[in-house]
Amino acid sequence: MSVKIGNIDLGEFPLLLAPMEDVSDPPFRYVCKKNGADMMYTEFISSEGLIRDAAKSLQKLDIFEYERPIGIQIFGGDIEHMREASEIASAAGPDLVDINYGCPVKNVVCKGAGSSLLQDIDKMVKMTDAVVKASHLPVTVKTRLGWDDNTKNVYEVAERLQDVGIQALTIHGRTRAQLYKGEADWSLIREIKRNPRIKIPIFGNGDVDSPEKAANWRMEYEVDGIMIGRAAIGYPWIFREVKHFFKTGKHLAGPTMEERIEVCRTHLDKSLEWKGPKTGIFEMRRHYANYFKGLPDFKPYRMRLVAESDISNIYSILEEVAEKFANYDATSVLA
């Protein structure tokens, strides 16, 4: 039975790419889509930035046809500004609008946005209602279990946000106080899924980093789909590997060194296309270590890659890496 968000058909058990600041841009989304991500989101976009036409916020609205279905995620602490931002985001042509009530970062929380709203459910409900009414698209929400261990209120959040019209809910299995530390707890996510009042899809997020875990948690926690974030950084193959494991119960061989180089280069090419040479080269630097994680003696190459500003030299270094490690079994060395 297909999982649907409004009229968006995501298939039987979708794998979603999490919206990650400074990561989930179009170049990164491209390589994840090519490797099996069923649904993706933009980096979260400030409502204040959209309203004042801030260049960085407007650039994050860029979406491409091959990415569909895709959601634009917005965040903010002012209800009216979120309503306006919803209209702007909807006009950019995504398939849905997502509200971030989960970001735990201090400079977001101190502005009354992100997971800060978990301390004021009434305001969260009013804000969500305003966004739902302002958009002609399905509205979804991503949040956490609660502010801290003493206020795990996501059960109430799920019911009340469904009542004002959201059409899917993604829950990260940590509180705001945990940040990204400790282990994600999906048990409350399962309770919400079992709640007979809840009719919308419930997606789980947090700590899914292997095909076995995805398969086990799919069964144990009864979610409608899984959102993968950090495990996809430098390893977009996680999506195809999870899907293969679902179908066969067996592991798909990991990417070869040739595939690593090819996808890294594709990511770089897309970065150059979207951001231009200067910014494209600079922002790609954070990804090299992740693409070649675990490769012995890679550090000298990484140092050269992050220092280089000439694109032809970067391509040459990647060719050197390909030649140097051609005989390594990348599927085991880099797993």
Side-chain angles (χ1 to χ4, degrees):
M1 188 172 180
S2 287
V3 175
K4 292 186 177 181
I5 301 176
N7 293 323
I8 307 167
D9 190 331
L10 297 177
E12 183 182 351
F13 190 86
L15 300 180
L16 291 67
L17 174 65
M20 295 177 283
E21 177 69 354
D22 292 328
V23 176
S24 301
D25 58 12
F28 179 72
R29 298 198 302 261
Y30 180 87
V31 297
C32 288
K33 185 70 173 181
K34 286 291 185 182
N35 283 281
D38 296 304
M39 172 84 191
M40 305 190 294
Y41 301 82
T42 64
E43 301 171 76
F44 71 170
I45 306 174
S46 163
S47 58
E48 308 292 336
L50 286 181
I51 291 168
R52 65 173 188 268
D53 293 335
K56 185 176 181 181
S57 294
L58 292 175
Q59 188 183 40
K60 289 181 181 179
L61 291 174
D62 287 353
I63 55 176
F64 300 89
E65 284 302 310
Y66 63 76
E67 299 183 294
R68 297 191 186 280
I70 185 165
I72 289 178
Q73 189 185 74
I74 58 175
F75 75 98
D78 182 273
I79 293 174
E80 177 58 22
H81 290 171
M82 283 290 282
R83 185 195 66 75
E84 292 181 47
S86 174
E87 293 178 342
I88 296 168
S90 299
D95 297 285
L96 60 83
V97 173
D98 189 76
I99 308 173
N100 182 306
Y101 292 137
C103 181
V105 177
K106 187 176 180 180
N107 65 359
V108 171
V109 170
C110 71
K111 296 174 183 175
S115 58
S116 173
L117 274 299
L118 286 163
Q119 299 177 101
D120 191 344
I121 305 305
D122 289 341
K123 182 178 179 182
M124 179 192 285
V125 171
K126 290 177 183 176
M127 181 178 288
T128 306
D129 184 51
V131 170
V132 168
K133 288 176 178 175
S135 178
H136 64 284
L137 299 170
V139 173
T140 62
V141 163
K142 185 170 189 282
T143 190
R144 289 182 170 234
L145 302 179
W147 180 255
D148 56 29
D149 284 341
N150 298 318
T151 56
K152 291 183 178 179
N153 49 14
V154 71
Y155 196 93
E156 176 190 355
V157 166
E159 289 190 343
R160 294 184 66 183
L161 296 191
Q162 178 182 258
D163 289 346
V164 295
I166 71 165
Q167 298 193 41
L169 177 65
T170 300
I171 305 167
H172 182 103
R174 289 182 174 85
T175 63
R176 187 273 166 175
Q178 283 182 272
L179 300 176
Y180 293 98
K181 299 174 183 176
E183 295 183 356
D185 177 9
W186 286 39
S187 57
L188 190 51
I189 303 175
R190 179 176 53 208
E191 287 183 35
I192 292 166
K193 183 58 193 171
R194 289 178 174 178
N195 180 352
R197 278 204 61 207
I198 296 298
K199 307 299 182 185
I200 60 175
I202 301 296
F203 303 123
N205 173 231
D207 292 355
V208 175
D209 56 10
S210 70
E212 297 99 324
K213 190 176 286 186
N216 291 338
W217 288 14
R218 174 183 182 177
M219 298 297 294
E220 182 176 355
Y221 297 110
E222 304 167 18
V223 291
D224 295 296
I226 289 174
M227 178 178 282
I228 297 174
R230 288 175 291 170
I233 299 174
Y235 204 86
W237 304 278
I238 184 74
F239 297 101
R240 75 178 187 187
E241 290 180 8
V242 169
K243 287 183 173 182
H244 183 81
F245 195 83
F246 283 170
K247 289 181 181 178
T248 67
K250 297 179 181 179
H251 283 280
L252 184 69
T256 62
M257 178 56 65
E258 185 179 357
E259 286 180 293
R260 296 255 178 176
I261 295 289
E262 180 184 357
V263 172
C264 179
R265 182 162 176 157
T266 297
H267 192 161
L268 173 60
D269 289 343
K270 290 294 180 181
S271 187
L272 295 169
E273 286 176 19
W274 184 56
K275 300 171 183 175
K278 184 176 180 181
T279 305
I281 289 172
F282 177 77
E283 295 196 358
M284 187 62 192
R285 290 173 178 172
R286 65 172 67 101
H287 294 285
Y288 295 122
N290 294 313
Y291 275 117
F292 303 107
K293 184 178 180 181
L295 194 65
D297 304 318
F298 179 71
K299 186 177 179 180
Y301 294 100
R302 182 181 66 82
M303 297 300 288
R304 289 170 61 195
L305 285 166
V306 300
E308 186 56 67
S309 58
D310 183 279
I311 186 60
S312 60
N313 290 339
I314 293 173
Y315 289 145
S316 295
I317 296 168
L318 289 175
E319 288 174 7
E320 282 185 50
V321 173
E323 292 174 8
K324 168 76 175 179
F325 300 102
N327 295 324
Y328 277 93
D329 181 4
T331 63
S332 61
V333 173
L334 302 178

